[in-house]
């Protein structure tokens, strides 16, 4: 009886230590998956992107952001892809955005515009992976930002400022007045022609 309770305590302690170690590794972003592979995306602006932000392809979760590093030229995000069989044909762009136009958690969407690869193509971690045709382990891809309320507002403001600088409104008013005068003249001429015909 005493042996049973000691064994039970020992196994419980071992399970608690294993669970704690697993939780610690997960919180530190350490992955034990041998089939995982990484891609580095370079963004001019990666607003809201952080470690463990989701990475998706065609709306399906395929991994997460392992790390985010800021340099003088760009923001570099290391993306960990958890699907070892995923073959993405080049060109590929990583798009960072929010789950909605109003904001929310940032995420990365991989967009592939290349021709679909055959099932016989090598996997990203395999030696025969052709980095000119597809994404392979440690590949680099350009990044792009999606529209948000802030970017839409900034774009509209830039257009309004440009229109004000170019005096587009006054030019449009002048053009409209000119069209109206031309239309009145054309109408008068057509009435004169009809009058002469009768």
């Amino acid at each position: 009886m005493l042996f049973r309770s000691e064994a039970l305590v020992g196994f419980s302690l071992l399970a608690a230590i294993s669970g704690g170690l697993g939780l610690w590794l997960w919180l530190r972003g350490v992955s034990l998956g041998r089939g995982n592979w990484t891609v580095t995306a370079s963004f001019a602006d990666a607003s809201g992107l952080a470690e463990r932000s989701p990475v998706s392809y065609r709306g399906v979760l395929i991994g997460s952001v392992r790390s985010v590093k800021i340099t003088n030229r760009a923001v570099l995000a290391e993306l960990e892809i958890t699907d070892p069989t995923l073959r993405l044909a080049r060109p590929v762009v990583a798009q960072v955005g929010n789950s909605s136009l109003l904001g929310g958690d940032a995420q990365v969407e991989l967009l592939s515009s290349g021709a679909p690869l055959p099932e016989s193509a090598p996997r990203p971690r395999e030696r025969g992976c052709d980095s000119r045709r597809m994404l392979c382990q440690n590949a680099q891809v350009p990044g792009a930002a999606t529209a948000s309320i802030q970017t839409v507002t900034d774009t509209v403001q830039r257009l309004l400022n440009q229109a004000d600088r170019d005096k587009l409104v006054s030019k449009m008013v002048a053009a409209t007045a000119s069209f109206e005068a031309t239309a009145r003249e054309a109408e008068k001429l057509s009435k004169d022609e009809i009058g002469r015909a009768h």
Side-chain angles (χ1 to χ4, degrees):
M1 182 76 173
L2 183 61
F3 176 73
R4 259 196 194 163
S5 61
E6 287 174 352
L8 187 59
V9 168
F11 285 127
S12 298
L13 186 59
L14 188 60
I17 291 172
S18 298
L21 181 62
L23 179 62
W24 181 79
L25 288 172
W26 179 77
L27 289 174
R28 300 283 297 163
V30 175
S31 172
L32 300 177
R34 293 185 53 82
N36 295 359
W37 52 289
T38 57
V39 172
T40 301
S42 174
F43 298 101
D45 180 8
S47 300
L49 198 63
E51 287 183 20
R52 287 201 293 285
S53 291
V55 176
S56 60
Y57 174 65
R58 295 186 178 180
V60 176
L61 182 68
I62 59 166
S64 63
V65 175
R66 182 189 278 180
S67 66
V68 177
K69 181 175 147 187
I70 300 170
T71 69
N72 290 336
R73 296 174 185 248
V75 177
L76 301 177
E78 187 179 20
L79 315 178
E80 182 175 28
I81 312 300
T82 56
D83 183 352
T85 64
L86 183 64
R87 298 168 181 90
L88 297 176
R90 285 190 182 270
V92 176
V93 174
Q95 193 171 60
V96 66
N98 298 313
S99 21
S100 76
L101 187 63
L102 298 175
D105 295 335
Q107 60 184 7
V108 177
E109 174 80 17
L110 292 179
L111 306 170
S112 168
S113 55
L117 296 165
E119 286 297 318
S120 60
R123 294 179 177 188
R125 292 180 58 96
E126 291 178 354
R127 181 171 288 198
C129 184
D130 184 358
S131 59
R132 291 167 299 169
R133 292 185 58 216
M134 63 183 284
L135 285 191
C136 301
Q137 165 74 352
N138 298 324
Q140 299 210 354
V141 295
T146 56
S148 66
I149 280 291
Q150 185 62 45
T151 58
V152 170
T153 304
D154 291 345
T155 302
V156 170
Q157 188 60 50
R158 276 197 308 275
L159 290 173
L160 289 174
N161 291 342
Q162 183 67 36
D164 187 46
R165 277 194 304 274
D166 294 344
K167 308 254 187 275
L168 286 181
V169 174
S170 58
K171 288 178 182 176
M172 285 175 60
V173 169
T176 304
S178 176
F179 288 141
E180 286 177 4
T182 304
R184 280 195 299 270
E185 190 65 34
E187 185 178 352
K188 183 181 172 195
L189 284 173
S190 67
K191 283 182 182 176
D192 289 347
E193 287 295 322
I194 291 172
R196 280 191 217 126
H198 289 295

